[in-house]
Amino acid sequence: MILFINACVRGQSRTKRLAEVLLEGRREEVTEICLERCAFPRVDEEFLCRRDRLVSEGKLDDPMFDLTNAFARADEIVIAAPYWDLSFPAALKQYLELVNVVGITFRYRSDGVPEGLCRAKKLTYVTTAGGPVVPEEFGYGYVKALCLGYYGIPEVCLVQAAGLDIEGADAEEILQREIRRLREEKA
Ligand SMILES: Cc1cc2nc3c(=O)[nH]c(=O)nc-3n(C[C@H](O)[C@H](O)[C@H](O)COP(=O)(O)O)c2cc1C
């Protein structure tokens, strides 16, 4: 199962269009989680206490962990997230806060080093940016660090189209160039 985490907000999202090209023709089942439609709980003290209690009691199939278990069990993961304020929409951070659960997506070895528990071998991060560059550190780089340092997902790739909002830029042509590249790569 490919887990498609859709963090796009706009109806005409160009990031989502790129992700759809990446996913087209795949024979595996694709399960989409549209973060815009998720009512995320507030991760407050009460939430954390309940979560810790469920984990310590081994109740990892509690509905509280549905998103976490889906992430941990996916064979491959695709995230689509527009580049917002040097990072990504807040809903993706809310989602990742729910997914990071000791005992489901990772555990600590006795020497304190995190060890990944996720099945996926590959995560692709799809993004588009208004400006000319997508620096790694706060968006894609952050997700990549989680994959490599916690989840145990060894292959992390970036698909991007940048410069879409620059005055005079032909956004559709930039997008089509990346779409052609993706289709050629798959052929
Ligand atoms: C709230 C918001 C914040 C943004 N922040 C940035 C930014 O920091 N850097 C940048 O290059 N573009 C920024 N943009 C422009 C988007 O990255 C660009 O329009 C992108 O293609 C939007 O993706 P979408 O078509 O999938 O919605 C921002 C757009 C919005 C709406």
Side-chain angles (χ1 to χ4, degrees):
M1 182 268 285
I2 301 175
L3 183 64
F4 172 36
I5 301 158
N6 176 6
C8 302
V9 173
R10 300 187 317 115
Q12 298 298 312
S13 168
R14 301 168 292 196
T15 316
K16 183 157 184 263
R17 275 175 67 193
L18 276 190
E20 282 167 349
V21 171
L22 189 75
L23 291 166
E24 73 189 6
R26 295 292 303 259
R27 262 174 289 164
E28 301 90 330
E29 178 199 346
V30 177
T31 301
E32 178 179 347
I33 297 180
C34 180
L35 301 190
E36 268 288 284
R37 290 197 216 113
C38 289
F40 291 111
R42 250 185 81 194
V43 180
D44 54 15
E45 188 168 11
E46 189 187 330
F47 177 94
L48 291 174
C49 287
R50 181 157 171 259
R51 183 161 88 172
D52 288 348
R53 184 172 50 76
L54 288 169
V55 169
S56 66
E57 290 169 356
K59 293 180 177 159
L60 303 182
D61 282 333
D62 187 274
M64 180 185 242
F65 300 123
D66 282 353
L67 288 175
T68 319
N69 282 316
F71 188 94
R73 291 171 189 162
D75 299 302
E76 189 178 329
I77 296 167
V78 172
I79 295 180
Y83 189 53
W84 273 20
D85 303 321
L86 302 182
S87 180
F88 43 64
L92 181 55
K93 181 68 168 73
Q94 287 182 293
Y95 172 80
L96 292 170
E97 276 183 10
L98 297 185
V99 156
N100 286 357
V101 177
V102 186
I104 303 182
T105 46
F106 73 101
R107 67 177 160 227
Y108 289 109
R109 292 191 329 210
S110 54
D111 60 3
V113 175
E115 182 177 56
L117 297 175
C118 294
R119 180 183 297 161
K121 295 281 168 282
K122 181 176 180 183
L123 181 145
T124 306
Y125 187 93
V126 183
T127 195
T128 65
V133 280
V134 180
E136 268 214 10
E137 55 269 41
F138 310 119
Y140 165 65
Y142 168 69
V143 172
K144 185 176 171 182
L146 283 173
C147 288
L148 301 180
Y150 283 84
Y151 306 141
I153 301 174
E155 188 182 351
V156 190
C157 310
L158 175 66
V159 169
Q160 60 169 315
L164 301 187
D165 297 339
I166 296 172
E167 222 181 295
D170 187 341
E172 187 57 31
E173 173 49 28
I174 297 169
L175 213 57
Q176 287 302 330
R177 211 182 306 139
E178 185 56 21
I179 288 172
R180 278 196 298 276
R181 194 195 65 76
L182 282 174
R183 289 195 172 132
E184 276 165 27
E185 204 174 74
K186 285 206 284 185

